[in-house]
Amino acid sequence: MNNLHKQALKILPLAVGASIIALVSTRIGVEKIFELIASANPVLIALAIAFFTTGLLLKAFVFNQLVNKLVQGIAFAEVLYVYLIGQITNELLPTGSGELVKIVVLEKKYKISAGKSSAIMIVQRLLDLIALLLTAAIGAFLLGFYQGDVVRAIGIALAAVIATVFVLTNTRLIKLGFAVAEKIPIVKNKIAGLHADFEEAVNKLVRQGGLRRVLLMMALTLAAWFFEVLTQYMLLQAFNQQPEIFLIALVTSISWIAGTFSFLPGGIGAREFVFASLLSTLGFSFDAAFSAALLYRFLVYAVFGTGAFIGTYKITLGESK
């Protein structure tokens, strides 16, 4: 396979996701989408941007705490740049590309080995997934309780908690993966030393930190996702849609999970479609919800892209001195 084909395969998922957005936008009407966005409440959009930025900074702070647990003394601004570079990569290239970029930058810039950097990525991914499941559980429970369907709410909440426990125990699968890979001659040399570094990093990040530190990181991550929910809630309010915030917690979580397992960059297309479709089935405007999701997508690209551009410049400038 030549380089041209490899490059084409890298951008194919983004093209698929963009095609989904283009198809749905065409059915709604591009002019109508622009009209809806133009008529949206600017004050509520400004609040959504503030909530989005707060959630982003919280996630970056958690990332900073994980990095500084392994290598102390790295400024928050520097780690924030690495985080933003990785996030915009995740939004544009296939799933996991952003984590690989973070690993490369941490190894090259701060001399954190690939094995230890991998542990940071996996721990934060687990924190995000657990927080996402808990957000869905809380949203489902409160929504069901609010509407009087307590039994179903408890069932959904328990299902999410069980899924969370399953995710927590899945770190064993990562160790098993290393053990199996080290038995394969072709792969063995490429991952030599990674397993030991990974184990050492997990020990520092989780075990040595103690339960209090783990709970603090979990609380901060959950707070970050709460601000994500507030962002979506404010955007819908800006488009004159009035859903309960409990419902948005549930719908946002489901759409993010769907986007993640679509394996499209940043869940592009899939996340927007699922978000709007779920709200549409509950009696809200599909067109307004999809337009709000598109505005959110633009916000993500604008913030992550700008931060990544500045970060790349700063990191490159620092290396040239």
Side-chain angles (χ1 to χ4, degrees):
M1 184 181 293
N2 58 40
N3 288 332
L4 182 61
H5 287 161
K6 289 180 181 179
Q7 295 301 320
L9 286 176
K10 286 181 180 179
I11 65 170
L12 180 61
L14 180 63
V16 171
S19 298
I20 295 172
I21 286 181
L23 179 62
V24 177
S25 298
T26 301
R27 296 194 66 176
I28 295 173
V30 176
E31 289 184 2
K32 184 177 180 181
I33 290 174
F34 278 112
E35 286 175 4
L36 286 168
I37 293 174
S39 62
N41 189 318
V43 175
L44 295 179
I45 290 176
L47 278 173
I49 293 171
F51 289 140
F52 173 79
T53 305
T54 303
L56 164 63
L57 291 175
L58 280 172
K59 290 179 184 179
F61 179 77
V62 171
F63 183 63
N64 176 68
Q65 291 298 300
L66 293 172
V67 170
N68 274 274
K69 184 67 178 176
L70 299 183
V71 178
Q72 295 182 351
I74 304 176
F76 174 70
E78 295 183 51
V79 178
L80 174 62
Y81 291 141
V82 177
Y83 181 78
L84 289 171
I85 291 169
Q87 290 307 104
I88 193 62
T89 305
N90 271 337
E91 296 294 331
L92 298 173
L93 294 177
T95 302
S97 298
E99 276 62 45
L100 291 176
V101 168
K102 291 176 191 174
I103 289 170
V104 170
V105 175
L106 289 175
E107 185 173 25
K108 186 176 180 181
K109 178 73 175 176
Y110 304 109
K111 310 304 179 186
I112 302 175
S113 71
K116 292 179 179 178
S117 297
S118 299
I120 294 172
M121 306 309 147
I122 290 169
V123 168
Q124 184 158 39
R125 279 285 188 170
L126 283 173
L127 287 172
D128 278 333
L129 186 53
I130 292 166
L132 196 58
L133 290 169
L134 287 175
T135 300
I138 293 168
F141 179 77
L142 292 177
L143 184 65
F145 188 81
Y146 179 75
Q147 294 181 347
D149 194 355
V150 181
V151 175
R152 186 170 61 179
I154 292 174
I156 295 173
L158 284 175
V161 170
I162 291 169
T164 300
V165 173
F166 175 76
V167 169
L168 278 170
T169 58
N170 251 1
T171 52
R172 296 178 182 177
L173 295 179
I174 299 167
K175 296 176 184 178
L176 179 61
F178 271 116
V180 172
E182 286 174 345
K183 302 295 182 182
I184 304 172
I186 299 175
V187 180
K188 185 177 181 179
N189 293 333
K190 293 184 179 181
I191 66 167
L194 288 185
H195 192 181
D197 281 350
F198 177 83
E199 286 281 357
E200 181 186 346
V202 168
N203 186 53
K204 284 185 177 179
L205 293 172
V206 180
R207 300 187 184 96
Q208 290 182 9
L211 180 61
R212 181 179 297 180
R213 184 181 179 85
V214 172
L215 290 176
L216 175 61
M217 294 298 101
M218 188 68 257
L220 289 171
T221 305
L222 190 59
W225 280 103
F226 175 71
F227 278 105
E228 184 72 41
V229 171
L230 282 176
T231 301
Q232 305 290 349
Y233 179 72
M234 282 300 165
L235 284 175
L236 286 168
Q237 293 285 331
F239 283 82
N240 202 31
Q241 302 299 301
Q242 311 290 329
E244 295 94 345
I245 194 167
F246 315 132
L247 175 63
I248 297 306
L250 182 58
V251 170
T252 299
S253 302
I254 293 173
S255 61
W256 268 88
I257 292 169
T260 299
F261 288 101
S262 71
F263 300 105
L264 297 173
I268 183 172
R271 202 162 66 203
E272 287 82 0
F273 182 75
V274 171
F275 182 79
S277 296
L278 286 173
L279 287 171
S280 177
T281 60
L282 295 168
F284 299 96
S285 168
F286 179 92
D287 297 355
F290 191 80
S291 299
L294 285 183
L295 187 58
Y296 174 82
R297 176 72 59 181
F298 174 78
L299 175 62
V300 167
Y301 286 156
V303 174
F304 287 170
T306 302
F309 178 80
I310 296 171
T312 302
Y313 173 77
K314 293 279 188 182
I315 291 171
T316 305
L317 184 66
E319 291 177 350
S320 64
K321 289 183 178 180

